[in-house]
């Protein structure tokens, strides 16, 4: 039994005791949290970077180094160490002999259940999307989450056409999801049967994101190659 | 927390203290007072994250860890905490360990952390932990509280695993991510959806109560 | 005189000695033409599904009765009707093993767990279908076209799937009028819908036969005619209003009325005596809620069809409906509520 139950003391003494107890416990707890945070923060950072790196390697086939770029003012890219500002970062990937394979870009949009976050690789030379990976989704297991692993669906993204129009600042054809089995053009994404809504969401995310990024990356494709060479030689 | 549950915990505890050796504090959480199958406590994580065996196990272990640590701290501070602020103190202590668990799980595996999602933070409001702090740890020595937490924690983990294994087997055709059936196995998608959690829990409760009733009659 | 169970209902209390099995037998007669047409239009695949669900329901009922040491209640026909109804709501090419699972669930989870006939909160057949829809969403939305050649000599490739295995995908699949509308904005003519010249669940295609069955039951006073009339009227009026607002975006009311499982649901499922309200006004409110939900789910929902969920939701609130509109006890004041 707690002591306070057996020996009622004066109100002032009681409040003091309560204060002491709460402050004491608060300090102990704060200490423990800070210690755990200090201990785990570097590991978590490394793990997160590793997860992102793994995703970049997945969407840009045949690369062995990556370099982060940040989109600066007046639409130019600059190499970046560490984490960049969200929504303004692109990751360039290079083949073993230092050539630019493509640029990986993050995109997100509303899915059937929640926001879907994806990463895709864009090859400015071929003007194609060359790889696709779902970073985060809460789509229905067994139906919508097929966008992550359905082989036929993922095949859409190894060579999805994102050609620029003649003015170099818009797309000739925006990528779009079509009904399963009716894909005719290289910029169309063949939907998964039974997961039409999730497939369409991916098409919409792709369309909106490539429309913004493809002209930017294409315009700056020299910047990606050059800076990377300097960096790797360092 | 409703009163009948609390009373049950009390009588169970007082009865066992009189009649049985302290090993009983450990055993009771496993079967007789199993937190999920008998006390039906902590339903939120039980139903929400038992969709695969690995998630269930991770959730069970995380809860068991928080339960163990908070029981130790509450028990060792039991003469120091005034009774007017005891609930606030318990919540503070539990929240601390939950936050620590959150960081630790993130450091172990980002994917696991993603799968468990908000439910790690929600361990704070798991009434199992608060009820053990209030009904047991605050009135018993550290040794007994450790035994109690271990028993309850393992009982909780065991129950979650029972649910997770069934749901993953039927809903995904695998166990611990390893395929268990031939390739063209038809998954019962309902089992990994929230509804499947209710079905599976109901079936386990039927089995549990049926065995108990049989034991009582013989 | 009180050695028999009291019948709790609104007046009149003196009724003809009509037993459960009399009513149930007549429901079977009313369902028979629908079932025969299903087999005629979809072939032996549909017959297999119907046999599987009916057998599963009857066997489960029998087994559970023995398990709980009660007298077997399969002779009152209710389990057979549940099975038949469940089978009529499934696609004709549905794997037999899944249909069997659905039958077991319908009786065990939809009826027996609540205490058997007379105590079920939901229509058991729809409970079975709802679980199947959640468990096997792909199989239950893969449709087999009607009037195929050779439908009486061969079954669909998915019918005899090995239990617990994924069905093989049929070479020929069709789209139901509702999914054709939802995903491709194609409207099937109402005459095809009424005569059943369409793809769909085994028993939902021929609206006219279902209506005939309903009229037979209503004429023999074995079904509350207000329920289907309220549902169909609500759907017709609501979709009519929407169609008047925008003829492009919303389908014509006749299409809404005759497509999908609305007829089958309104006539044979929503009228479940146990799961629907007992007062005349309550029944109309109940029908209105079902009709409203059907229109909302079909037009704004993610699924093409919503009759099943509409009826299940209305089942859930039907005791409350009776509570809200409790008739005033004769002689009490108008303001004080009789309790």
């Amino acid at each position: 039994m707690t002591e306070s139950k057996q020996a009622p003391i004066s109100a002032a003494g009681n409040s003091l005791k309560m204060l002491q107890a709460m402050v004491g416990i608060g300090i102990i707890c704060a200490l423990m949290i800070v210690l755990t945070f200090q201990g785990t923060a570097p590991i978590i950072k490394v793990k997160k970077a590793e997860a992102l790196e793994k995703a970049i390697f997945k969407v840009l086939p045949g690369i062995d180094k990556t370099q982060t770029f940040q989109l600066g003012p007046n639409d130019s890219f600059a190499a970046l160490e560490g984490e960049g500002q969200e929504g303004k970062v692109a990751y360039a990937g290079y083949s073993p002999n230092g050539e630019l394979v493509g640029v990986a870009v993050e995109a997100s949009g509303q899915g059937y259940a929640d926001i879907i976050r994806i990463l895709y690789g864009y090859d400015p030379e071929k003007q194609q999307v060359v790889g696709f990976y779902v970073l985060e989704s809460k789509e229905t297991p067994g139906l919508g989450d097929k966008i992550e692993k359905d082989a036929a669906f993922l095949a859409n993204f190894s060579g999805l056409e994102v050609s620029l129009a003649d003015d170099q600042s818009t797309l000739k054809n925006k990528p779009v999801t079509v009904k399963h089995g009716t894909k005719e053009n290289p910029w169309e994404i063949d939907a998964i049967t039974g997961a039409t809504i999730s497939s369409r969401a991916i098409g919409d995310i792709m369309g909106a994101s490539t429309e913004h990024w493809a002209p930017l990356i294409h315009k700056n494709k020299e910047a990606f190659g050059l800076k990377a060479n300097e960096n790797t030689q360092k | 927390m409703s009163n009948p549950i609390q009373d049950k915990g009390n009588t169970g505890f007082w009865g066992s203290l009189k009649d049985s050796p302290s090993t009983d504090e450990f055993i009771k959480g496993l079967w007789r007072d199993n937190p999920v199958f008998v006390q039906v406590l902590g339903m939120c994580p039980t139903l929400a994250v038992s969709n695969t065996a690995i998630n269930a196990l991770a959730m069970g272990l995380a809860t068991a860890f928080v339960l163990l640590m908070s029981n130790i701290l509450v028990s060792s501070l039991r003469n120091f905490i005034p009774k007017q602020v005891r609930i606030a103190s318990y919540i503070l202590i539990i929240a601390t360990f939950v936050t620590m668990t959150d960081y630790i799980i993130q450091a172990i595996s980002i994917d696991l952390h993603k799968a468990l999602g908000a439910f790690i933070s929600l361990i704070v409001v798991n009434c199992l932990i608060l009820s053990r702090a209030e009904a047991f740890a605050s009135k018993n020595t550290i040794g007994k509280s450790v035994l109690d937490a271990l028993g309850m924690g393992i009982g909780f983990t065991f129950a979650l695993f029972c649910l997770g294994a069934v749901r993953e087997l039927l809903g995904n055709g695998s166990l611990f991510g390893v395929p268990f059936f031939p390739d063209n196995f038809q998954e019962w998608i309902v089992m990994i959806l929230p509804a499947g959690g209710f079905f599976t829990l109901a079936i386990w409760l039927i089995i549990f109560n049926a065995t108990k009733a049989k034991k009582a009659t013989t | 005189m009180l050695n028999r169970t009291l019948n709790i209902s609104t007046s009149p209390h003196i009724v003809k000695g009509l037993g459960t099995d009399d009513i149930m037998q007549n429901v079977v007669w009313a369902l028979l033409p629908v079932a025969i047409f299903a087999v005629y239009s979809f072939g032996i695949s549909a017959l297999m599904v119907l046999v599987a669900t009916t057998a599963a329901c009857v066997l489960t009922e029998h087994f559970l009765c023995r398990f709980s040491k009660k007298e077997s209640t399969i002779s009152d026909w209710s389990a057979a009707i549940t099975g038949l109804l469940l089978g009529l709501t499934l696609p004709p090419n549905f794997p037999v093993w899944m249909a069997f699972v659905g039958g077991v669930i319908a009786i065990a989870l939809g009826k027996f767990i609540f205490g058997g006939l007379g105590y079920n909160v939901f229509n058991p057949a729809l409970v079975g279908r709802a679980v199947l829809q959640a468990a096997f969403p792909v199989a239950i939305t893969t449709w087999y076209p009607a009037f195929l050649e050779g439908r009486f000599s061969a079954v669909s490739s998915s019918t005899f799937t090995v239990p617990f295995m994924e069905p093989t995908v049929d070479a020929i699949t069709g789209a139901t009028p509702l999914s054709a509308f939802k995903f491709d904005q194609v409207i099937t003519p109402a005459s095809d819908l009424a005569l059943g010249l369409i793809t769909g669940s085994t028993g939902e295609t021929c609206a006219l036969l279902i209506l005939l069955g309903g009229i037979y039951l209503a004429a023999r006073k074995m079904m509350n005619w207000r329920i289907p009339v309220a549902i169909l009227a609500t759907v017709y009026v609501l979709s009519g209003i929407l169609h008047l607002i925008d003829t492009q975006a919303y389908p014509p009311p006749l299409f809404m009325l005759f497509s999908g499982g609305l007829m089958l649901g309104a006539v044979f499922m929503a009228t479940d005596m146990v799961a629907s309200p007992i007062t005349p006004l309550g029944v109309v409110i109940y029908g209105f809620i079902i009709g409203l939900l059907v229109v909302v789910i079909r037009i704004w929902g993610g699924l093409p069809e919503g009759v099943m969920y509409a009826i299940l939701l209305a089942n859930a609130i039907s005791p409350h409906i009776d509570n809200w509109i409790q008739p005033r006890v004769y002689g009490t004041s108008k303001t004080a509520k009789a309790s």
Side-chain angles (χ1 to χ4, degrees):
Chain A
M1 288 296 136
T2 46
E3 275 173 39
S4 55
K5 238 183 200 167
Q6 291 162 342
I9 24 175
S10 70
N14 220 347
S15 332
L16 190 69
K17 213 180 158 200
M18 284 198 276
L19 199 68
Q20 276 174 345
M22 290 307 288
V23 170
I25 293 170
I27 290 172
I28 299 174
C29 292
L31 260 176
M32 285 195 296
I33 292 181
V34 168
L35 281 178
T36 322
F37 179 73
Q38 291 290 343
T40 53
I43 310 175
I44 295 172
K45 205 177 160 195
V46 170
K47 289 245 176 185
K48 274 193 173 155
E50 261 173 23
L52 182 66
E53 183 107 358
K54 222 171 84 194
I56 298 171
F57 274 73
K58 268 198 187 124
V59 299
L60 294 170
I63 60 167
D64 80 336
K65 321 185 239 301
T66 64
Q67 170 67 49
T68 312
F69 285 87
Q70 165 120 19
L71 179 65
N74 45 7
D75 291 352
S76 63
F77 284 92
L80 186 77
E81 292 298 327
E83 273 180 49
Q85 206 182 334
E86 208 177 314
K88 293 204 160 187
V89 189
Y91 312 95
Y94 308 95
S95 65
N97 50 15
E99 279 169 46
L100 178 72
V101 172
V103 181
V105 177
E106 231 185 276
S108 60
Q110 181 64 45
Y112 179 68
D114 202 348
I115 302 283
I116 304 177
R117 278 177 58 228
I118 62 166
L119 187 81
Y120 65 89
Y122 170 71
D123 183 340
E125 208 52 59
K126 290 193 226 154
Q127 305 204 356
Q128 278 180 348
V129 167
V130 288
F132 165 83
Y133 180 74
V134 178
L135 292 172
E136 201 179 333
S137 97
K138 294 198 173 58
E139 301 299 282
T140 321
L143 282 179
D145 75 343
K146 281 192 188 159
I147 54 169
E148 293 174 36
K149 44 202 177 203
D150 189 276
F153 183 69
L154 294 181
N156 281 310
F157 302 101
S158 49
L160 183 73
E161 188 192 303
V162 196
S163 301
L164 295 180
D166 295 334
D167 64 355
Q168 299 289 308
S169 62
T170 50
L171 294 185
K172 211 184 279 171
N173 297 294
K174 212 164 125 177
V176 63
T177 303
V178 295
K179 212 183 144 204
H180 178 71
T182 58
K183 175 175 169 142
E184 278 171 355
N185 302 306
W187 62 84
E188 285 171 350
I189 302 166
D190 198 7
I192 306 169
T193 25
T196 320
I197 299 173
S198 303
S199 310
R200 287 211 176 136
I202 296 294
D204 293 344
I205 297 170
M206 272 292 197
S209 176
T210 48
E211 200 171 34
H212 173 69
W213 283 95
L216 279 175
I217 294 170
H218 192 76
K219 201 172 93 187
N220 294 298
K221 67 179 170 192
E222 266 74 48
F224 286 108
L226 240 151
K227 293 240 171 63
N229 283 340
E230 279 174 7
N231 266 322
T232 45
Q233 274 151 21
K234 257 188 227 167
Chain B
M1 241 181 356
S2 62
N3 272 327
I5 294 167
Q6 224 179 327
D7 292 346
K8 201 177 175 183
N10 277 334
T11 52
F13 151 60
W14 286 119
S16 61
L17 193 70
K18 277 175 197 153
D19 310 327
S20 331
S22 63
T23 46
D24 189 62
E25 306 297 359
F26 177 68
I27 302 291
K28 70 173 192 283
L30 300 185
W31 186 264
R32 199 182 66 234
D33 282 342
N34 185 293
V36 173
F37 293 143
V38 178
Q39 301 186 51
V40 200
L41 284 178
M43 284 299 104
C44 164
T46 305
L47 294 167
V49 282
S50 61
N51 51 0
T52 65
I54 198 87
N55 284 0
L57 212 54
M59 189 65 202
L61 289 176
T63 312
F65 170 77
V66 175
L67 182 58
L68 177 65
M69 300 309 278
S70 62
N71 253 15
I72 292 176
L73 202 60
V74 167
S75 171
S76 52
L77 295 176
R78 69 185 187 279
N79 293 326
F80 174 68
I81 303 173
K83 84 171 202 297
Q84 293 92 331
V85 290
R86 67 186 195 286
I87 300 292
S89 312
Y90 301 158
I91 293 289
L92 195 58
I93 290 167
I94 295 167
T96 305
F97 289 114
V98 169
T99 314
M100 285 166 62
T101 314
D102 193 43
Y103 286 132
I104 294 168
I105 289 181
Q106 247 186 79
I108 294 171
S109 161
I110 300 264
D111 286 335
L112 185 62
H113 187 262
K114 239 191 233 166
L116 297 180
F119 293 99
I120 301 177
S121 323
L122 286 176
I123 297 176
V124 176
V125 288
N126 191 326
C127 36
L128 168 65
I129 297 172
L130 190 62
S131 78
R132 291 334 285 173
E134 165 76 6
F136 197 94
S138 64
K139 295 164 186 163
N140 283 284
T141 57
I142 301 182
K144 273 184 185 162
S145 302
V146 168
L147 282 176
D148 175 75
L150 281 177
M152 287 291 166
I154 294 171
F156 186 73
T157 311
F158 164 74
L160 246 68
F161 173 75
C162 287
L163 261 84
V166 171
R167 290 179 70 186
E168 186 178 349
L169 264 180
L170 280 176
N172 212 10
S174 62
L175 196 60
F176 288 110
V178 182
F180 203 78
F181 293 109
D183 269 357
N184 53 349
F185 174 74
Q186 169 69 54
E187 295 92 357
W188 298 44
I189 286 157
V190 66
M191 295 310 270
I192 30 180
L193 298 176
F198 285 93
F199 292 155
T200 320
L201 179 67
I203 290 165
W204 275 114
L205 283 176
I206 290 175
I207 295 173
F208 222 84
N209 285 332
T211 17
K212 268 195 145 178
K214 222 175 189 178
K215 243 185 181 171
T217 51
T218 49
Chain C
M1 277 308 279
L2 277 175
N3 55 355
R4 63 189 193 102
T5 348
L6 277 176
N7 189 15
I8 300 169
S9 182
T10 53
S11 53
H13 296 294
I14 299 165
V15 288
K16 198 171 80 175
L18 204 61
T20 314
D21 31 352
D22 295 322
I23 301 179
M24 293 299 172
Q25 256 176 35
N26 275 290
V27 175
V28 172
W29 298 136
L31 273 175
L32 221 50
V34 181
I36 290 169
F37 182 80
V39 177
Y40 167 68
S41 57
F42 293 108
I44 41 178
S45 311
L47 182 66
M48 290 302 148
V49 172
L50 292 176
V51 169
T53 49
T54 314
C57 284
V58 173
L59 286 176
T60 312
E61 175 111 348
H62 184 69
F63 175 77
L64 284 177
C65 281
R66 277 187 55 179
F67 184 74
S68 55
K69 300 188 178 70
K70 277 188 212 158
E71 207 181 321
S72 181
T73 47
I74 53 171
S75 54
D76 71 7
W77 289 85
S78 66
I81 289 177
T82 300
L84 200 54
L85 278 175
L86 174 64
L88 290 173
T89 61
L90 296 173
N93 53 329
F94 202 60
V96 165
W97 76 265
M98 290 184 189
F100 196 88
V101 168
V104 173
I105 291 171
I107 292 294
L109 208 66
K111 181 170 159 192
F112 224 82
I113 223 165
F114 295 106
L117 184 69
Y119 299 98
N120 49 301
V121 179
F122 301 102
N123 181 312
L126 287 180
V127 171
R129 196 188 190 277
V131 172
L132 286 178
Q133 167 105 49
F136 313 117
V138 176
I140 212 164
T141 48
T142 310
W143 308 97
Y144 193 57
F147 302 109
L148 278 183
E149 268 181 57
R151 62 186 185 275
F152 297 117
S153 53
V155 291
S156 119
S157 56
S158 55
T159 301
F160 289 119
T161 311
V162 185
F164 298 104
M165 292 299 138
E166 219 166 348
T168 42
V169 179
D170 273 303
I172 5 163
T173 55
T176 65
L178 278 172
S179 58
F181 167 73
K182 187 112 199 166
F183 299 119
D184 302 313
Q185 282 78 44
V186 176
I187 302 253
T188 315
S191 57
D192 285 6
L193 295 170
L195 294 174
L197 308 173
I198 46 161
T199 299
S201 299
T202 42
E204 71 180 23
T205 53
C206 189
L208 284 183
L209 283 177
I210 300 170
L211 272 180
L212 270 180
I215 291 167
Y216 168 75
L217 284 180
R220 300 212 56 181
K221 297 208 165 43
M222 286 169 176
M223 180 187 80
N224 195 336
W225 59 271
R226 290 180 186 88
I227 297 176
V229 168
I231 296 174
L232 298 176
T234 309
V235 171
Y236 188 86
V237 170
L238 283 182
S239 55
I241 295 171
L242 285 172
H243 187 65
L244 282 181
I245 295 171
D246 186 346
T247 40
Q248 286 301 308
Y250 304 115
L254 272 181
F255 172 81
M256 286 287 277
L257 219 49
F258 287 116
S259 61
L262 183 61
M263 278 295 166
L264 190 67
V267 174
F268 288 108
M269 312 261 187
T271 49
D272 188 308
M273 296 186 172
V274 190
S276 54
I278 42 179
T279 50
L281 179 62
V283 155
V284 173
I285 298 176
Y286 168 81
F288 170 75
I289 290 173
I290 294 178
L292 179 72
L293 285 171
V294 168
V295 173
V296 167
I297 297 175
R298 276 188 185 178
I299 289 183
W300 292 289
L303 290 165
E305 176 61 306
V307 172
M308 169 177 79
Y309 296 118
I311 296 177
L312 285 174
L313 285 169
N315 281 166
I317 57 165
S318 68
H320 303 289
I321 299 177
D322 275 335
N323 237 351
W324 293 331
I325 50 144
Q326 226 171 54
R328 189 168 57 89
V329 173
Y330 186 71
T332 55
S333 84
K334 269 179 188 166
T335 44
K337 219 184 167 182
S339 57

